[in-house]
Amino acid sequence: MKKKGYSRKGLFGTINHYDENGKKVGESRPGFFGGMNNYDANGKKVGHSSKGFFGGVNHYDASGKKVGHSSTGFFGGINHYDKNGHKKGHSSSGFFGGVNHFED
């Protein structure tokens, strides 16, 4: 299990994303109709995420194509899956706040 980075809440509902070295790699901002719009470090929109019909969160690329989903794990935390349903990582609460991301 390799740590892949972390995320921290910013202002006005924004979530800032950092790599394992602390470099900002992007952010997620609340969408006008719900969900979150995802941007890279340069501010280019790279996709969006929205609640799934049966729970969890679905993730889409900038073209609207589904690229994966996330759901709550059995013992807490969040499991991340690719578009084919294969687990690719998980996230858990950080000791000092925020969320740590791991590659499985």
Side-chain angles (χ1 to χ4, degrees), residues 36-39 44-49 60-63:
M36 299 293 276
N37 291 316
N38 305 313
Y39 300 86
K44 179 182 175 189
K45 186 174 179 182
V46 294
H48 72 277
S49 302
Y60 303 90
D61 65 14
S63 302

Side-chain angles (χ1 to χ4, degrees), residues 79-101:
N79 293 319
H80 307 288
Y81 302 89
D82 65 15
K83 65 182 179 181
N84 297 317
H86 299 109
K87 188 175 177 191
K88 63 180 187 175
H90 68 279
S91 300
S92 59
S93 297
F95 189 70
F96 294 106
V99 176
N100 292 317
H101 306 293

Side-chain angles (χ1 to χ4, degrees), residues 32-73:
F32 188 73
F33 295 106
M36 299 293 276
N37 291 316
N38 305 313
Y39 300 86
D40 66 14
N42 298 317
K44 179 182 175 189
K45 186 174 179 182
V46 294
H48 72 277
S49 302
S50 59
K51 289 184 180 179
F53 188 72
F54 295 106
V57 176
N58 292 319
H59 307 288
Y60 303 90
D61 65 14
S63 302
K65 182 179 175 186
K66 186 174 178 182
V67 294
H69 73 276
S70 300
S71 60
T72 305

